[in-house]
Amino acid sequence: MFKNLLLAIDGSDHSIRAADKAITLALLEENASIEILYVVAGSKSKTDVLHYGDSDSASRKRQEMLQPFEDKIREAGIATKTTILHGSNGAAESIIEHANNSHYDALVIGSRGLGTVQTMVLGSVSHKVIKHVKAPVLMVK
């Protein structure tokens, strides 16, 4: 049922809990896989380069953030790959486009992330994603 999962993360605590739920779902199916999706918004990319000094250092910092997610999934015995997108239109739009242009049994996402702009109940990214992704979406608090 949930053999091909997409896990959208940003490194937040909600992303960590979303990864745990994605692993739980994947363990229900034989030969399930989880694709980790991380979107670097255009403004975040520029800020990271300024903060870390150059784009190579910024890329290394992103990889350091992603590594525990990758390790956790592999340790559970689940196949995984990581996709990093540079979304000039924003994280939500990039997640939606990626999810809708591929075949996933479900998308798992945290309810709130590291973004500075958030709605009252849901994070603005997760709210948009839930409304526009065609696959089932599991939002994790």
Side-chain angles (χ1 to χ4, degrees):
M1 180 176 209
F2 296 112
K3 196 167 189 156
N4 188 22
L5 298 171
L6 180 62
L7 170 64
I9 65 164
D10 65 358
S12 66
D13 289 342
H14 288 272
S15 288
I16 294 167
R17 289 190 291 278
D20 292 337
K21 291 296 179 188
I23 290 168
T24 300
L25 284 176
L27 289 173
L28 296 173
E29 286 287 329
E30 196 171 318
N31 299 318
S33 65
I34 299 173
E35 179 181 345
I36 299 169
L37 177 62
Y38 178 72
V39 178
V40 183
S43 60
K44 175 74 170 147
S45 182
K46 292 174 189 169
T47 303
D48 285 350
V49 169
L50 290 173
H51 182 75
Y52 297 116
D54 59 47
S55 60
D56 289 339
S57 296
S59 293
R60 272 193 306 280
K61 286 294 183 185
R62 284 185 205 114
Q63 188 54 46
E64 288 173 13
M65 184 275 299
L66 291 166
Q67 193 65 51
F69 290 92
E70 294 167 343
D71 292 344
K72 181 185 280 201
I73 293 167
R74 284 190 188 104
E75 287 169 9
I78 301 164
T80 188
K81 75 174 191 170
T82 299
T83 300
I84 299 174
L85 299 177
H86 293 272
S88 57
N89 294 333
E93 290 77 8
S94 296
I95 294 167
I96 292 163
E97 183 178 343
H98 185 80
N100 287 343
N101 288 335
S102 302
H103 176 72
Y104 296 101
D105 297 319
L107 164 67
V108 183
I109 189 169
S111 63
R112 299 194 86 137
L114 295 174
T116 55
V117 179
Q118 297 176 333
T119 59
M120 294 297 286
V121 179
L122 300 177
S124 58
V125 171
S126 57
H127 186 254
K128 271 188 190 175
V129 166
I130 286 171
K131 286 173 54 175
H132 298 288
V133 167
K134 295 173 186 168
V137 178
L138 173 61
M139 184 184 60
V140 181
K141 295 189 332 174

